[in-house]
């Protein structure tokens, strides 16, 4: 029974699902307009769906052993795939004059890919834990401390990843640390150096 619960937690808090509401929340905060936020969310979800389909196709063809891309030697291909579609997303944002907050978020994604691409040669950090930690930290800064109430999700997701044998506790801890460090770097770069109001 415990293993089934761990699998459910791991599935529900997959980074792919976690980032679905992010464009809406970010654009809504920047513009205050729910319609504009929904338009940019749909635009963002189009690219997210393409990435998901590409991962599924590569999984079916044997390039990925599972949909979580658990094997660290398979992750560089995944990072490359995400990078290609992120560039396409950036070009779309640029052409359509998208909200600044989406450019900032995309910069965070590129920085994350760079960090994870380097680390994958050393350790297989948990992307699940890194994603939820980064989201809770970032939204707590942007929207206020009520998001800190979600802190319990970090150890829960870490436990689930260990329980289903996808990560060790060290890989989970590395993911949690990255989930804090990467947003801090992005906040410093855009808020302090470029004087962007976040």
């Amino acid at each position: 029974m415990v293993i089934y619960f761990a699998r459910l937690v791991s599935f529900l808090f997959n980074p792919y699902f976690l980032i679905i509401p992010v464009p809406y929340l970010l654009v809504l905060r920047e513009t205050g307009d729910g319609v504009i936020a929904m338009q940019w969310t749909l635009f963002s979800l189009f690219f997210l769906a393409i990435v998901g389909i590409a991962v599924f196709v590569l999984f079916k063809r044997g390039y990925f052993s599972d949909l979580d891309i658990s094997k660290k030697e398979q992750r560089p291909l995944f990072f490359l795939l995400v990078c290609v579609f992120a560039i396409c997303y950036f070009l779309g944002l640029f052409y359509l004059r998208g909200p600044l907050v989406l450019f900032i978020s995309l910069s965070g994604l590129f920085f994350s890919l760079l960090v994870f691409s380097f680390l994958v040669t050393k350790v297989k950090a948990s992307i699940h834990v890194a994603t939820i930690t980064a989201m809770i930290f970032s939204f707590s800064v942007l929207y206020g401390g009520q998001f800190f109430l979600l802190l319990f999700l970090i150890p829960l997701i870490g436990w689930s990843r260990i329980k289903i044998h996808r990560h060790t506790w060290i890989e989970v801890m590395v993911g949690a640390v990255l989930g804090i460090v990467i947003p801090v770097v992005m906040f410093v770069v855009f808020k302090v150096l470029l004087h962007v109001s976040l």
Side-chain angles (χ1 to χ4, degrees), residues 94-112:
F94 183 78
Y95 179 74
L96 297 171
R97 299 184 181 184
L100 176 63
V101 70
L102 293 182
F103 284 101
I104 293 171
S105 299
L106 193 59
S107 300
L109 174 64
F110 279 119
F111 181 60
S112 300

Side-chain angles (χ1 to χ4, degrees), residues 44-139:
S44 302
L45 292 182
F46 170 75
F47 288 91
L48 185 61
I50 292 174
V51 171
I53 291 167
V55 168
F56 184 76
V57 169
L58 290 171
F59 163 67
K60 283 296 187 181
R61 293 189 176 178
Y63 289 96
F64 298 140
S65 57
D66 56 63
L67 293 176
D68 284 339
I69 305 111
S70 298
K71 295 184 177 178
K72 70 177 185 178
E73 60 271 15
Q74 295 174 353
R75 288 190 168 185
L77 175 60
F78 172 69
F79 296 149
L80 177 62
L81 175 73
V82 172
C83 191
V84 167
F85 284 107
I87 290 170
C88 295
Y89 179 70
F90 170 82
L91 294 173
L93 283 177
F94 183 78
Y95 179 74
L96 297 171
R97 299 184 181 184
L100 176 63
V101 70
L102 293 182
F103 284 101
I104 293 171
S105 299
L106 193 59
S107 300
L109 174 64
F110 279 119
F111 181 60
S112 300
L113 288 173
L114 182 66
V115 170
F116 275 93
S117 296
F118 171 75
L119 283 180
V120 79
T121 61
K122 310 293 182 185
V123 66
K124 187 184 79 171
S126 173
I127 296 176
H128 278 69
V129 174
T131 302
I132 192 66
T133 305
M135 286 180 64
I136 291 171
F137 177 80
S138 299
F139 283 116

Side-chain angles (χ1 to χ4, degrees), residues 19 21-32 37 41 99-106 138-139 142-143 187 198:
I19 62 175
V22 169
Y24 183 83
L25 292 171
L26 292 176
V27 177
L28 181 64
R29 183 181 186 277
E30 182 177 319
T31 66
T41 299
L100 176 63
V101 70
L102 293 182
F103 284 101
I104 293 171
S105 299
L106 193 59
S138 299
F139 283 116
L142 293 172
Y143 284 96
F187 280 125
L198 295 172

Side-chain angles (χ1 to χ4, degrees), residues 146-181:
Q146 65 267 25
F147 276 87
F148 279 121
L149 297 174
L150 300 175
L151 283 173
F152 76 94
L153 291 174
I154 298 169
L156 177 65
I157 295 168
W159 166 82
S160 74
R161 300 301 288 165
I162 294 168
K163 190 68 179 176
I164 64 174
H165 306 293
R166 293 297 170 87
H167 288 289
T168 65
W169 69 272
I170 292 175
E171 293 166 350
V172 164
M173 292 300 295
V174 171
V177 169
L178 290 176
I180 294 172
V181 170

